[in-house]
Amino acid sequence: TFHERVDLTGLILTKLDGDARGGAALSVQAVTGCPILLTGVGEKAEDLEQYGRRYNVRVFGLAEGQDETVDQCEQKVLKVIHDKLQLPGIQASHIDALHRLGKKPQPRRDVNDKDSDSDTEPRPRPVIVRFCSRKSTQAILQARRKLKNSRIVIAEDLTKERYTLLMRGRDTPGV
């Protein structure tokens, strides 16, 4: 297998200053099973920065427009942050990067109405938002309970191991 031939302990990802930056990082990490240690956001060695998910949040349920651009998605995220979370101090300059996960789904047919040609809207893809500071991330995670009766959910972007640990802790009585 790959890991038998190549002894990888971590990855350095360069060219993350383009549009496909987040999706590539998550894909490479999932395929190799190795952590991303450094990311490059420029062309020089001093443009390498330590990669971590602690500044990331996932936004679920955010409506997705046809041919939506990254700027339009950013405006939707900021609208949720300002209007629903009531955090006017967080501006576009606090967002380092954001992108939707996965490929844009095709409209699915309504399985209950086999004779109809109408399509139902597919579930919107989640958005990963990376903030420039932990302070912004913490403010959003603390205010997310204000979204309780809406279809929008904000969650930490956890690694598979940390998610498993969290679920195990939730299932353990007395913890």
Side-chain angles (χ1 to χ4, degrees):
T1 66
F2 179 78
H3 288 289
E4 291 171 353
R5 291 191 168 201
V6 180
D7 188 24
L8 285 179
T9 57
L11 302 169
I12 298 175
L13 232 72
T14 59
K15 299 293 282 179
L16 285 183
D17 51 345
D19 288 339
R21 54 186 162 231
L26 294 173
S27 297
V28 168
Q29 190 172 14
V31 168
T32 62
C34 295
I36 298 172
L37 303 176
L38 298 171
T39 56
V41 291
E43 297 182 11
K44 299 179 180 169
E46 52 266 8
D47 292 332
L48 290 173
E49 61 183 34
Q50 190 170 8
Y51 178 80
R53 288 185 171 181
R54 66 182 187 169
Y55 298 138
N56 296 359
V57 296
R58 289 184 184 224
V59 182
F60 298 93
L62 195 62
E64 184 172 4
Q66 190 75 359
D67 299 325
E68 180 181 72
T69 65
V70 173
D71 292 333
Q72 291 169 335
C73 186
E74 181 176 303
Q75 292 306 315
K76 289 179 182 179
V77 168
L78 286 171
K79 184 171 174 53
V80 168
I81 291 171
H82 294 157
D83 297 348
K84 298 200 183 266
L85 298 181
Q86 300 167 352
L87 296 171
I90 296 180
Q91 302 300 322
S93 61
H94 294 111
I95 296 176
D96 183 27
L98 69 107
H99 70 280
R100 289 208 183 255
L101 284 176
K103 294 181 181 177
K104 187 167 178 97
Q106 298 298 320
R108 54 186 173 178
R109 296 220 152 200
D110 188 1
V111 293
N112 296 330
D113 191 7
K114 294 179 182 174
D115 296 330
S116 173
D117 288 334
S118 68
D119 293 328
T120 59
E121 271 303 305
R123 180 182 298 158
R125 297 175 294 163
V127 179
I128 292 187
V129 184
R130 179 182 170 98
F131 290 94
C132 295
S133 71
R134 181 73 176 149
K135 185 178 179 182
S136 299
T137 306
Q138 285 300 106
I140 287 173
L141 290 174
Q142 289 173 357
R144 66 185 169 176
R145 65 179 155 246
K146 294 177 183 175
L147 298 170
K148 186 166 185 161
N149 291 325
S150 74
R151 63 172 201 240
I152 298 172
V153 175
I154 295 179
E156 274 187 275
D157 186 29
L158 299 172
T159 62
K160 194 174 199 176
E161 295 83 19
R162 289 190 181 191
Y163 181 78
T164 304
L165 185 65
L166 177 66
M167 291 299 114
R168 197 177 316 142
R170 284 185 179 173
D171 295 339
T172 307
V175 175

